[in-house]
Amino acid sequence: MTDEELTKYSGYHLLYELKMFWWLTGALSYMEGYLHDAVLEAWVVHLRNLILFFCHPKADSDDVIAKDFLDKPDRWSQTESTTLKAARIRANKELSHITEKRKYAGEKDKDWDVAGLFREIGDIAKKFVPQASETKLHSDVRQLLAVSPGTMVVVGGVSHSTATVSRPLVFSVDSIFDKDNRRNK
């Protein structure tokens, strides 16, 4: 992809992945029952996409990864942590297969560490931005990732996939880490 194509791509597709991951993280605490489960599954999909984007080489020639946005790709050496690897493997099993690896209610490792995984992806993303080329990474991605704790975030409005409009969700970045306000099963 050319620099212009990468800028356009990141301003739409990468920004979408990041916004959905953020929005879903904030929305989880407001959901219950099957709606919570559906939102959590969507969150896991975007988590897996971001892990692959930041931490893995291209699996196919048409994959887009973090290294594509650097002028010196060899300088990006983000490896997948043990927690991210376990989350990716679990996501692959639980979302894509009916498998014996699925967890039962009450199992000690059934809950997803939403706050911890959100924080880890956020740290990687914030490490990525200053290394990304000014001519390849869209400024909207930089702006989103410049949000600091305590800042109110508004995510939502016009849908990327339809002509529908949804209500925006406003939440504090700090609220994501409020363990008393989290249900992540």
Side-chain angles (χ1 to χ4, degrees), residues 35-52:
L35 186 55
H36 171 273
D37 295 349
V39 170
L40 181 61
E41 287 182 10
W43 180 86
V44 170
V45 167
H46 294 286
L47 169 67
R48 180 178 55 188
N49 290 348
L50 290 169
I51 292 169
L52 292 172

Side-chain angles (χ1 to χ4, degrees), residues 11 18 20 29 43 56 64 71 78 87 90 107 111 127 178:
L18 291 164
M20 287 301 293
S29 63
W43 180 86
H56 283 263
V64 179
D71 290 328
Q78 182 62 51
R90 181 178 176 192
E107 285 187 58
D111 292 357
K127 186 172 98 176
D178 177 5

Side-chain angles (χ1 to χ4, degrees), residues 9 24 28-29 40 48 64 76 80 87 91 108-109 124 128 131 133 161 176 178 181 184:
Y9 186 93
L24 292 163
L28 274 167
S29 63
L40 181 61
R48 180 178 55 188
V64 179
W76 184 254
E80 186 179 55
K108 65 179 178 174
D109 58 349
I124 292 169
F128 163 73
Q131 294 184 46
S133 171
S161 58
I176 292 168
D178 177 5
N181 198 26
N184 315 314

